[in-house]
Amino acid sequence: MGKLIKNHWARLIVLTAAAYQILAAIQGFFWPKIFWDFATKNFDGAVKPVPILQILNLLFGILILAWEWPLGIVTHSVLHRSIELRLAVYPLSALVALLLYQGTNAGLYYLIGVGVYFWAFSEGEVVCPVPWTLPRRYMVSKV
């Protein structure tokens, strides 16, 4: 059996979270609701009358979907290969998703994805320049 490539697994989890976040943002435009409204009404200004939180969720979802799929302009860049940058951006996206009532699943998926990316980072995995490929092994030949 082969080894589990954790950054590929985390990429699938985060792609799912980004798709959920986009759908939650669209649904939030029609039914604006903050997740913490049972505790306080102070945050209602983030969703209505101006849909700030919905727009942020939509932007984060599209950005992360383009980053993880990835778009052609992102493919061979340092941005695409950086696990450290993912570990910095995805918790922010999870926070934005968790504030919107419709985005709680996406926020939890982001947190799971961050955990798996951290596991991959701590084991020294690298993200390949070409998406969905394996790192090359350099064979040392004996002379």
Side-chain angles (χ1 to χ4, degrees), residues 49-124:
V50 180
I52 297 168
L53 199 53
Q54 293 92 322
I55 292 170
L56 284 175
N57 272 293
L58 189 63
L59 291 176
F60 267 114
I62 291 171
L63 173 81
I64 290 172
L65 199 62
W67 187 4
E68 286 291 345
W69 188 254
L71 282 180
I73 58 174
V74 181
T75 304
H76 294 285
S77 68
V78 175
L79 175 75
H80 172 67
R81 292 191 313 260
S82 174
I83 292 179
E84 297 90 349
L85 190 59
R86 286 179 168 97
L87 290 174
V89 171
Y90 292 164
L92 295 174
S93 184
L95 175 68
V96 170
L98 285 169
L99 287 175
L100 189 66
Y101 177 75
Q102 292 88 349
T104 53
N105 284 346
L108 294 175
Y109 292 161
Y110 276 127
L111 293 177
I112 293 168
V114 165
V116 176
Y117 265 127
F118 183 75
W119 184 16
F121 177 73
S122 65
E123 288 192 358

Side-chain angles (χ1 to χ4, degrees), residues 22-43:
I22 291 170
L23 293 173
I26 292 170
Q27 188 180 17
F29 284 115
F30 298 106
W31 298 284
K33 186 172 170 119
I34 197 88
F35 181 70
W36 303 103
D37 68 345
F38 60 86
T40 181
K41 300 287 185 192
N42 292 337
F43 298 122

